Amino acid sequence: MPYYAVAKGRSPGIYSTWDECKAQVHQFSGPKYKKFNTKQEAEDFVSTFGNTSRKSSNTNSYSKSNFPSTSVKRPFEPNLFDNREEKRAKYEASNFETSSKIGTHGLEEDENGFVNVYTDGACSQNGKRKARAGIGVWFSDDHPLNVSRAVVGRQTNNMAEIQAVTIAARQAQKAGIKKLKINTDSQFLINCKTKWMKNWKARGWKTSDGRPVINKEELLEMESATAPLQVSWNHVRGHRGIHGNEMADKLARQGAESKDD
């Protein structure tokens, strides 16, 4: 079992999943954290670099994470050193890193320079006459590019997911972002863009059983909004403690609540 040691972060301690660790260090100024194979090494790291009065052995974990494994560079595991200062220097040299970094736009980028954005849709009473849907677009905590608003048009969850990406792409263009990584918990949305739309177009926007594609106009609008960008699609599992996804969900629910009757 891995142990994620957070010596400097929102709540220093030892965590059993990457998502828990990331929640403590993401966009925290001067974080210090590292992955270990043994609990003793993790405790030594927290003791060496952290405030020992805040040391903990937090093993409460979220459900299984789907945060992409490619987003983490796993360093070599250092040996233990008798000399405290030598140990500190060695840890500093091999400090745990993620492949994400803060780029020129002040936003998190992956190792290929794609700016991360999380999108989500929410809909209360989905499929019913009084349904209320909203979109959430999250670039970073309290960032001016974040969006929370009600869905325009049909109040459905799929409409919300599609419109969230459209708005995210427009926000990215407004900020001069060229490469955008869209993180969404909607596999339907990803399948639409990467698998189904090509076939729907070839069949005159008909499904495989000959029915009209319900969200044709909205999908075309999304396609137009994303066309000027290099887009990378990434599926994340919802409600698994992934900070960006949780924030996008919160914004989407707020957007749904803001809809006028």
Short mmCIF file of all heavy atoms in Angstrom, two decimals, residues 157-215:
data_model
loop_
_atom_site.label_atom_id
_atom_site.label_comp_id
_atom_site.label_asym_id
_atom_site.label_seq_id
_atom_site.Cartn_x
_atom_site.Cartn_y
_atom_site.Cartn_z
N ASN A 157 -29.64 16.88 -18.29
CA ASN A 157 -28.26 16.70 -17.85
C ASN A 157 -27.29 16.70 -19.03
O ASN A 157 -26.21 17.30 -18.97
CB ASN A 157 -28.12 15.41 -17.06
CG ASN A 157 -26.78 15.30 -16.37
OD1 ASN A 157 -26.51 16.02 -15.42
ND2 ASN A 157 -25.93 14.41 -16.85
N ASN A 158 -27.68 16.03 -20.13
CA ASN A 158 -26.79 15.99 -21.29
C ASN A 158 -26.59 17.37 -21.90
O ASN A 158 -25.49 17.73 -22.34
CB ASN A 158 -27.33 15.03 -22.35
CG ASN A 158 -27.13 13.57 -21.97
OD1 ASN A 158 -26.32 13.25 -21.09
ND2 ASN A 158 -27.86 12.68 -22.61
N MET A 159 -27.66 18.17 -21.94
CA MET A 159 -27.53 19.55 -22.42
C MET A 159 -26.53 20.31 -21.55
O MET A 159 -25.69 21.08 -22.05
CB MET A 159 -28.88 20.25 -22.39
CG MET A 159 -29.78 19.94 -23.56
SD MET A 159 -29.31 20.87 -25.05
CE MET A 159 -29.94 22.50 -24.60
N ALA A 160 -26.61 20.09 -20.24
CA ALA A 160 -25.71 20.79 -19.31
C ALA A 160 -24.26 20.39 -19.56
O ALA A 160 -23.36 21.24 -19.60
CB ALA A 160 -26.11 20.48 -17.88
N GLU A 161 -24.01 19.09 -19.75
CA GLU A 161 -22.64 18.62 -19.99
C GLU A 161 -22.07 19.23 -21.28
O GLU A 161 -20.91 19.66 -21.31
CB GLU A 161 -22.62 17.09 -20.08
CG GLU A 161 -23.05 16.36 -18.84
CD GLU A 161 -22.01 16.35 -17.74
OE1 GLU A 161 -20.93 16.94 -17.92
OE2 GLU A 161 -22.27 15.74 -16.68
N ILE A 162 -22.88 19.26 -22.32
CA ILE A 162 -22.42 19.80 -23.62
C ILE A 162 -22.17 21.30 -23.52
O ILE A 162 -21.12 21.80 -23.96
CB ILE A 162 -23.46 19.50 -24.72
CG1 ILE A 162 -23.58 17.99 -24.94
CG2 ILE A 162 -23.07 20.19 -26.02
CD1 ILE A 162 -24.78 17.58 -25.78
N GLN A 163 -23.11 22.03 -22.95
CA GLN A 163 -22.95 23.47 -22.86
C GLN A 163 -21.77 23.85 -21.97
O GLN A 163 -21.11 24.87 -22.20
CB GLN A 163 -24.23 24.11 -22.35
CG GLN A 163 -25.35 24.14 -23.39
CD GLN A 163 -26.55 24.96 -22.94
OE1 GLN A 163 -26.48 25.73 -21.99
NE2 GLN A 163 -27.66 24.80 -23.66
N ALA A 164 -21.48 23.04 -20.95
CA ALA A 164 -20.35 23.33 -20.08
C ALA A 164 -19.04 23.32 -20.87
O ALA A 164 -18.18 24.19 -20.68
CB ALA A 164 -20.28 22.32 -18.93
N VAL A 165 -18.88 22.37 -21.76
CA VAL A 165 -17.67 22.31 -22.58
C VAL A 165 -17.62 23.48 -23.56
O VAL A 165 -16.56 24.08 -23.78
CB VAL A 165 -17.59 20.97 -23.34
CG1 VAL A 165 -16.46 20.99 -24.37
CG2 VAL A 165 -17.39 19.83 -22.36
N THR A 166 -18.76 23.81 -24.14
CA THR A 166 -18.81 24.96 -25.06
C THR A 166 -18.34 26.23 -24.36
O THR A 166 -17.52 26.99 -24.90
CB THR A 166 -20.24 25.15 -25.59
OG1 THR A 166 -20.65 23.96 -26.28
CG2 THR A 166 -20.32 26.33 -26.54
N ILE A 167 -18.85 26.47 -23.17
CA ILE A 167 -18.47 27.66 -22.42
C ILE A 167 -17.01 27.60 -22.00
O ILE A 167 -16.29 28.61 -22.05
CB ILE A 167 -19.38 27.83 -21.19
CG1 ILE A 167 -20.83 28.04 -21.62
CG2 ILE A 167 -18.91 28.98 -20.31
CD1 ILE A 167 -21.05 29.25 -22.51
N ALA A 168 -16.53 26.43 -21.59
CA ALA A 168 -15.13 26.28 -21.20
C ALA A 168 -14.21 26.64 -22.36
O ALA A 168 -13.19 27.32 -22.19
CB ALA A 168 -14.87 24.85 -20.74
N ALA A 169 -14.56 26.17 -23.56
CA ALA A 169 -13.74 26.46 -24.74
C ALA A 169 -13.74 27.96 -25.05
O ALA A 169 -12.71 28.54 -25.40
CB ALA A 169 -14.25 25.67 -25.93
N ARG A 170 -14.88 28.60 -24.92
CA ARG A 170 -14.96 30.03 -25.17
C ARG A 170 -14.17 30.82 -24.13
O ARG A 170 -13.51 31.82 -24.46
CB ARG A 170 -16.42 30.48 -25.19
CG ARG A 170 -17.18 29.97 -26.41
CD ARG A 170 -18.66 30.30 -26.32
NE ARG A 170 -19.38 29.84 -27.51
CZ ARG A 170 -20.70 29.78 -27.61
NH1 ARG A 170 -21.45 30.14 -26.56
NH2 ARG A 170 -21.28 29.35 -28.71
N GLN A 171 -14.23 30.38 -22.90
CA GLN A 171 -13.45 31.04 -21.85
C GLN A 171 -11.96 30.90 -22.12
O GLN A 171 -11.18 31.84 -21.92
CB GLN A 171 -13.80 30.43 -20.48
CG GLN A 171 -15.20 30.74 -19.97
CD GLN A 171 -15.37 32.20 -19.61
OE1 GLN A 171 -15.72 33.03 -20.46
NE2 GLN A 171 -15.12 32.52 -18.35
N ALA A 172 -11.56 29.71 -22.57
CA ALA A 172 -10.15 29.47 -22.87
C ALA A 172 -9.68 30.38 -24.00
O ALA A 172 -8.59 30.99 -23.91
CB ALA A 172 -9.94 28.01 -23.26
N GLN A 173 -10.48 30.50 -25.05
CA GLN A 173 -10.10 31.38 -26.16
C GLN A 173 -9.99 32.83 -25.70
O GLN A 173 -9.09 33.55 -26.11
CB GLN A 173 -11.13 31.26 -27.28
CG GLN A 173 -11.11 29.93 -28.02
CD GLN A 173 -12.11 29.90 -29.16
OE1 GLN A 173 -12.00 30.66 -30.11
NE2 GLN A 173 -13.11 29.04 -29.03
N LYS A 174 -10.91 33.24 -24.85
CA LYS A 174 -10.90 34.61 -24.34
C LYS A 174 -9.61 34.90 -23.58
O LYS A 174 -9.11 36.02 -23.61
CB LYS A 174 -12.12 34.82 -23.43
CG LYS A 174 -12.27 36.22 -22.89
CD LYS A 174 -13.64 36.42 -22.26
CE LYS A 174 -13.83 35.55 -21.05
NZ LYS A 174 -15.14 35.80 -20.38
N ALA A 175 -9.07 33.89 -22.92
CA ALA A 175 -7.84 34.06 -22.15
C ALA A 175 -6.58 33.81 -22.96
O ALA A 175 -5.48 33.89 -22.43
CB ALA A 175 -7.88 33.11 -20.94
N GLY A 176 -6.75 33.49 -24.25
CA GLY A 176 -5.59 33.23 -25.09
C GLY A 176 -5.01 31.84 -24.94
O GLY A 176 -3.88 31.57 -25.35
N ILE A 177 -5.76 30.93 -24.34
CA ILE A 177 -5.31 29.55 -24.17
C ILE A 177 -5.47 28.81 -25.49
O ILE A 177 -6.50 28.88 -26.14
CB ILE A 177 -6.12 28.86 -23.06
CG1 ILE A 177 -5.84 29.53 -21.71
CG2 ILE A 177 -5.83 27.36 -23.00
CD1 ILE A 177 -6.78 29.11 -20.61
N LYS A 178 -4.44 28.08 -25.88
CA LYS A 178 -4.46 27.35 -27.16
C LYS A 178 -4.65 25.85 -26.99
O LYS A 178 -5.17 25.19 -27.88
CB LYS A 178 -3.13 27.59 -27.91
CG LYS A 178 -2.81 29.06 -28.15
CD LYS A 178 -3.84 29.72 -29.05
CE LYS A 178 -3.44 31.16 -29.37
NZ LYS A 178 -4.49 31.85 -30.17
N LYS A 179 -4.21 25.32 -25.85
CA LYS A 179 -4.28 23.88 -25.61
C LYS A 179 -5.09 23.64 -24.34
O LYS A 179 -4.73 24.14 -23.27
CB LYS A 179 -2.87 23.29 -25.48
CG LYS A 179 -2.02 23.51 -26.72
CD LYS A 179 -0.57 23.10 -26.49
CE LYS A 179 -0.42 21.59 -26.44
NZ LYS A 179 1.03 21.19 -26.36
N LEU A 180 -6.16 22.88 -24.47
CA LEU A 180 -7.10 22.72 -23.37
C LEU A 180 -7.36 21.24 -23.09
O LEU A 180 -7.72 20.49 -24.00
CB LEU A 180 -8.42 23.41 -23.70
CG LEU A 180 -9.44 23.55 -22.57
CD1 LEU A 180 -8.90 24.46 -21.48
CD2 LEU A 180 -10.76 24.09 -23.12
N LYS A 181 -7.20 20.85 -21.85
CA LYS A 181 -7.51 19.49 -21.43
C LYS A 181 -8.83 19.52 -20.69
O LYS A 181 -8.95 20.11 -19.61
CB LYS A 181 -6.41 18.93 -20.52
CG LYS A 181 -6.62 17.47 -20.14
CD LYS A 181 -5.40 16.96 -19.40
CE LYS A 181 -5.49 15.46 -19.13
NZ LYS A 181 -4.25 14.97 -18.49
N ILE A 182 -9.84 18.90 -21.27
CA ILE A 182 -11.19 18.91 -20.69
C ILE A 182 -11.37 17.67 -19.83
O ILE A 182 -11.38 16.55 -20.33
CB ILE A 182 -12.25 18.97 -21.80
CG1 ILE A 182 -12.10 20.29 -22.59
CG2 ILE A 182 -13.65 18.86 -21.21
CD1 ILE A 182 -12.96 20.35 -23.83
N ASN A 183 -11.50 17.89 -18.54
CA ASN A 183 -11.72 16.81 -17.59
C ASN A 183 -13.21 16.76 -17.26
O ASN A 183 -13.77 17.72 -16.74
CB ASN A 183 -10.91 17.06 -16.32
CG ASN A 183 -9.41 17.09 -16.57
OD1 ASN A 183 -8.77 16.05 -16.62
ND2 ASN A 183 -8.86 18.29 -16.73
N THR A 184 -13.85 15.66 -17.56
CA THR A 184 -15.29 15.53 -17.37
C THR A 184 -15.63 14.15 -16.87
O THR A 184 -14.95 13.16 -17.22
CB THR A 184 -16.04 15.82 -18.69
OG1 THR A 184 -17.45 15.53 -18.51
CG2 THR A 184 -15.52 14.97 -19.83
N ASP A 185 -16.70 14.07 -16.07
CA ASP A 185 -17.14 12.74 -15.62
C ASP A 185 -18.23 12.18 -16.53
O ASP A 185 -18.83 11.15 -16.22
CB ASP A 185 -17.61 12.77 -14.17
CG ASP A 185 -18.76 13.75 -13.94
OD1 ASP A 185 -19.43 14.14 -14.91
OD2 ASP A 185 -18.99 14.12 -12.77
N SER A 186 -18.48 12.84 -17.67
CA SER A 186 -19.50 12.38 -18.60
C SER A 186 -18.86 11.56 -19.73
O SER A 186 -18.31 12.12 -20.68
CB SER A 186 -20.25 13.57 -19.21
OG SER A 186 -21.13 13.13 -20.24
N GLN A 187 -18.95 10.24 -19.62
CA GLN A 187 -18.44 9.40 -20.71
C GLN A 187 -19.30 9.57 -21.95
O GLN A 187 -18.80 9.46 -23.08
CB GLN A 187 -18.44 7.93 -20.27
CG GLN A 187 -17.71 7.00 -21.23
CD GLN A 187 -16.24 7.34 -21.37
OE1 GLN A 187 -15.51 7.34 -20.38
NE2 GLN A 187 -15.79 7.63 -22.58
N PHE A 188 -20.59 9.87 -21.76
CA PHE A 188 -21.47 10.17 -22.88
C PHE A 188 -20.91 11.30 -23.73
O PHE A 188 -20.85 11.22 -24.96
CB PHE A 188 -22.86 10.55 -22.36
CG PHE A 188 -23.71 11.31 -23.35
CD1 PHE A 188 -24.41 10.64 -24.35
CD2 PHE A 188 -23.80 12.70 -23.29
CE1 PHE A 188 -25.19 11.35 -25.28
CE2 PHE A 188 -24.57 13.40 -24.20
CZ PHE A 188 -25.27 12.73 -25.19
N LEU A 189 -20.49 12.36 -23.08
CA LEU A 189 -19.96 13.52 -23.78
C LEU A 189 -18.70 13.17 -24.57
O LEU A 189 -18.55 13.54 -25.74
CB LEU A 189 -19.67 14.63 -22.77
CG LEU A 189 -19.10 15.93 -23.32
CD1 LEU A 189 -20.10 16.61 -24.24
CD2 LEU A 189 -18.71 16.86 -22.18
N ILE A 190 -17.79 12.46 -23.92
CA ILE A 190 -16.55 12.07 -24.60
C ILE A 190 -16.84 11.16 -25.79
O ILE A 190 -16.25 11.32 -26.87
CB ILE A 190 -15.59 11.40 -23.61
CG1 ILE A 190 -15.14 12.40 -22.54
CG2 ILE A 190 -14.37 10.82 -24.33
CD1 ILE A 190 -14.27 11.81 -21.46
N ASN A 191 -17.75 10.23 -25.61
CA ASN A 191 -18.10 9.34 -26.71
C ASN A 191 -18.72 10.11 -27.87
O ASN A 191 -18.46 9.80 -29.05
CB ASN A 191 -19.07 8.26 -26.23
CG ASN A 191 -18.40 7.21 -25.37
OD1 ASN A 191 -17.18 7.05 -25.41
ND2 ASN A 191 -19.18 6.48 -24.59
N CYS A 192 -19.56 11.09 -27.56
CA CYS A 192 -20.15 11.91 -28.61
C CYS A 192 -19.07 12.51 -29.49
O CYS A 192 -19.12 12.42 -30.73
CB CYS A 192 -20.99 13.03 -28.00
SG CYS A 192 -22.62 12.54 -27.45
N LYS A 193 -18.08 13.14 -28.86
CA LYS A 193 -17.06 13.87 -29.62
C LYS A 193 -16.05 12.95 -30.28
O LYS A 193 -15.63 13.20 -31.42
CB LYS A 193 -16.32 14.85 -28.70
CG LYS A 193 -15.36 15.75 -29.45
CD LYS A 193 -16.10 16.66 -30.42
CE LYS A 193 -15.16 17.56 -31.21
NZ LYS A 193 -14.41 16.82 -32.24
N THR A 194 -15.64 11.90 -29.61
CA THR A 194 -14.54 11.08 -30.12
C THR A 194 -14.98 9.85 -30.90
O THR A 194 -14.18 9.26 -31.62
CB THR A 194 -13.63 10.63 -28.96
OG1 THR A 194 -14.38 9.80 -28.06
CG2 THR A 194 -13.10 11.83 -28.19
N LYS A 195 -16.26 9.46 -30.79
CA LYS A 195 -16.71 8.23 -31.45
C LYS A 195 -17.94 8.44 -32.33
O LYS A 195 -17.96 8.07 -33.50
CB LYS A 195 -17.01 7.14 -30.41
CG LYS A 195 -15.81 6.69 -29.60
CD LYS A 195 -16.22 5.61 -28.60
CE LYS A 195 -15.03 5.13 -27.79
NZ LYS A 195 -15.41 4.07 -26.81
N TRP A 196 -18.99 8.99 -31.76
CA TRP A 196 -20.30 8.91 -32.39
C TRP A 196 -20.57 10.00 -33.43
O TRP A 196 -21.27 9.75 -34.41
CB TRP A 196 -21.40 8.96 -31.33
CG TRP A 196 -21.32 7.84 -30.35
CD1 TRP A 196 -20.76 6.61 -30.53
CD2 TRP A 196 -21.81 7.86 -29.00
NE1 TRP A 196 -20.87 5.84 -29.40
CE2 TRP A 196 -21.52 6.58 -28.44
CE3 TRP A 196 -22.47 8.80 -28.22
CZ2 TRP A 196 -21.86 6.25 -27.13
CZ3 TRP A 196 -22.82 8.47 -26.92
CH2 TRP A 196 -22.52 7.21 -26.38
N MET A 197 -20.06 11.22 -33.21
CA MET A 197 -20.43 12.32 -34.09
C MET A 197 -20.06 12.07 -35.55
O MET A 197 -20.80 12.42 -36.47
CB MET A 197 -19.82 13.64 -33.61
CG MET A 197 -20.53 14.20 -32.38
SD MET A 197 -19.83 15.76 -31.77
CE MET A 197 -20.23 16.86 -33.14
N LYS A 198 -18.92 11.46 -35.76
CA LYS A 198 -18.48 11.18 -37.13
C LYS A 198 -19.52 10.29 -37.84
O LYS A 198 -19.89 10.56 -39.00
CB LYS A 198 -17.12 10.49 -37.11
CG LYS A 198 -16.58 10.17 -38.49
CD LYS A 198 -15.20 9.52 -38.40
CE LYS A 198 -14.67 9.17 -39.78
NZ LYS A 198 -13.32 8.51 -39.70
N ASN A 199 -19.98 9.27 -37.16
CA ASN A 199 -20.97 8.37 -37.76
C ASN A 199 -22.33 9.04 -37.91
O ASN A 199 -23.04 8.82 -38.89
CB ASN A 199 -21.11 7.10 -36.91
CG ASN A 199 -19.85 6.25 -36.94
OD1 ASN A 199 -19.11 6.25 -37.92
ND2 ASN A 199 -19.61 5.52 -35.86
N TRP A 200 -22.70 9.86 -36.92
CA TRP A 200 -23.98 10.57 -37.02
C TRP A 200 -23.99 11.50 -38.23
O TRP A 200 -24.99 11.58 -38.95
CB TRP A 200 -24.23 11.38 -35.75
CG TRP A 200 -24.55 10.54 -34.55
CD1 TRP A 200 -25.02 9.25 -34.54
CD2 TRP A 200 -24.45 10.93 -33.18
NE1 TRP A 200 -25.20 8.81 -33.27
CE2 TRP A 200 -24.87 9.83 -32.39
CE3 TRP A 200 -24.05 12.11 -32.54
CZ2 TRP A 200 -24.90 9.88 -31.00
CZ3 TRP A 200 -24.07 12.16 -31.16
CH2 TRP A 200 -24.49 11.05 -30.40
N LYS A 201 -22.89 12.18 -38.45
CA LYS A 201 -22.80 13.08 -39.62
C LYS A 201 -22.93 12.29 -40.91
O LYS A 201 -23.61 12.72 -41.85
CB LYS A 201 -21.48 13.83 -39.59
CG LYS A 201 -21.37 14.88 -38.50
CD LYS A 201 -19.99 15.54 -38.54
CE LYS A 201 -19.81 16.58 -37.44
NZ LYS A 201 -18.48 17.19 -37.47
N ALA A 202 -22.25 11.15 -40.97
CA ALA A 202 -22.28 10.33 -42.18
C ALA A 202 -23.68 9.81 -42.47
O ALA A 202 -24.04 9.58 -43.64
CB ALA A 202 -21.31 9.15 -42.05
N ARG A 203 -24.49 9.65 -41.42
CA ARG A 203 -25.86 9.16 -41.60
C ARG A 203 -26.88 10.30 -41.63
O ARG A 203 -28.08 10.06 -41.49
CB ARG A 203 -26.22 8.19 -40.47
CG ARG A 203 -25.49 6.86 -40.52
CD ARG A 203 -26.13 5.85 -39.57
NE ARG A 203 -25.94 6.24 -38.18
CZ ARG A 203 -24.97 5.76 -37.39
NH1 ARG A 203 -24.11 4.86 -37.88
NH2 ARG A 203 -24.88 6.13 -36.14
N GLY A 204 -26.40 11.53 -41.83
CA GLY A 204 -27.33 12.66 -41.84
C GLY A 204 -27.90 12.96 -40.48
O GLY A 204 -29.07 13.31 -40.34
N TRP A 205 -27.05 12.87 -39.46
CA TRP A 205 -27.43 13.11 -38.07
C TRP A 205 -28.58 12.20 -37.62
O TRP A 205 -29.56 12.63 -37.05
CB TRP A 205 -27.75 14.58 -37.82
CG TRP A 205 -26.50 15.39 -37.73
CD1 TRP A 205 -25.90 16.10 -38.73
CD2 TRP A 205 -25.67 15.53 -36.57
NE1 TRP A 205 -24.74 16.68 -38.28
CE2 TRP A 205 -24.57 16.36 -36.95
CE3 TRP A 205 -25.73 15.08 -35.25
CZ2 TRP A 205 -23.55 16.72 -36.07
CZ3 TRP A 205 -24.72 15.43 -34.37
CH2 TRP A 205 -23.65 16.24 -34.78
N LYS A 206 -28.37 10.93 -37.93
CA LYS A 206 -29.29 9.89 -37.46
C LYS A 206 -28.49 8.89 -36.61
O LYS A 206 -27.32 8.60 -36.90
CB LYS A 206 -29.94 9.15 -38.63
CG LYS A 206 -30.81 10.04 -39.52
CD LYS A 206 -32.08 10.47 -38.79
CE LYS A 206 -32.94 11.36 -39.67
NZ LYS A 206 -33.37 10.68 -40.90
N THR A 207 -29.14 8.35 -35.59
CA THR A 207 -28.50 7.33 -34.78
C THR A 207 -28.47 6.02 -35.56
O THR A 207 -29.04 5.91 -36.65
CB THR A 207 -29.26 7.13 -33.45
OG1 THR A 207 -30.59 6.68 -33.75
CG2 THR A 207 -29.34 8.44 -32.68
N SER A 208 -27.84 5.00 -34.99
CA SER A 208 -27.72 3.72 -35.68
C SER A 208 -29.07 3.07 -35.94
O SER A 208 -29.21 2.27 -36.87
CB SER A 208 -26.83 2.76 -34.88
OG SER A 208 -27.36 2.55 -33.58
N ASP A 209 -30.09 3.42 -35.15
CA ASP A 209 -31.41 2.86 -35.39
C ASP A 209 -32.32 3.84 -36.14
O ASP A 209 -33.54 3.66 -36.18
CB ASP A 209 -32.06 2.44 -34.07
CG ASP A 209 -32.16 3.58 -33.07
OD1 ASP A 209 -31.75 4.72 -33.41
OD2 ASP A 209 -32.63 3.35 -31.94
N GLY A 210 -31.71 4.87 -36.75
CA GLY A 210 -32.46 5.75 -37.64
C GLY A 210 -33.18 6.92 -36.99
O GLY A 210 -33.89 7.67 -37.67
N ARG A 211 -32.99 7.13 -35.70
CA ARG A 211 -33.66 8.25 -35.03
C ARG A 211 -32.80 9.51 -35.10
O ARG A 211 -31.56 9.42 -35.14
CB ARG A 211 -33.94 7.90 -33.57
CG ARG A 211 -34.97 6.79 -33.40
CD ARG A 211 -35.18 6.50 -31.92
NE ARG A 211 -33.97 5.98 -31.30
CZ ARG A 211 -33.85 5.72 -29.99
NH1 ARG A 211 -34.88 5.96 -29.19
NH2 ARG A 211 -32.73 5.23 -29.51
N PRO A 212 -33.43 10.69 -35.13
CA PRO A 212 -32.66 11.94 -35.15
C PRO A 212 -31.85 12.09 -33.86
O PRO A 212 -32.30 11.70 -32.78
CB PRO A 212 -33.74 13.02 -35.24
CG PRO A 212 -34.95 12.32 -35.75
CD PRO A 212 -34.89 10.92 -35.23
N VAL A 213 -30.65 12.64 -34.00
CA VAL A 213 -29.80 12.90 -32.82
C VAL A 213 -30.40 14.07 -32.05
O VAL A 213 -30.58 15.16 -32.60
CB VAL A 213 -28.36 13.21 -33.25
CG1 VAL A 213 -27.52 13.59 -32.03
CG2 VAL A 213 -27.74 12.00 -33.96
N ILE A 214 -30.72 13.86 -30.80
CA ILE A 214 -31.45 14.85 -30.02
C ILE A 214 -30.66 16.14 -29.84
O ILE A 214 -31.20 17.24 -29.97
CB ILE A 214 -31.82 14.27 -28.64
CG1 ILE A 214 -32.80 13.11 -28.82
CG2 ILE A 214 -32.43 15.34 -27.74
CD1 ILE A 214 -33.14 12.38 -27.54
N ASN A 215 -29.37 16.04 -29.55
CA ASN A 215 -28.57 17.21 -29.21
C ASN A 215 -27.72 17.71 -30.38
O ASN A 215 -26.64 18.27 -30.16
CB ASN A 215 -27.66 16.89 -28.01
CG ASN A 215 -28.45 16.56 -26.77
OD1 ASN A 215 -29.25 17.37 -26.31
ND2 ASN A 215 -28.23 15.38 -26.23
#
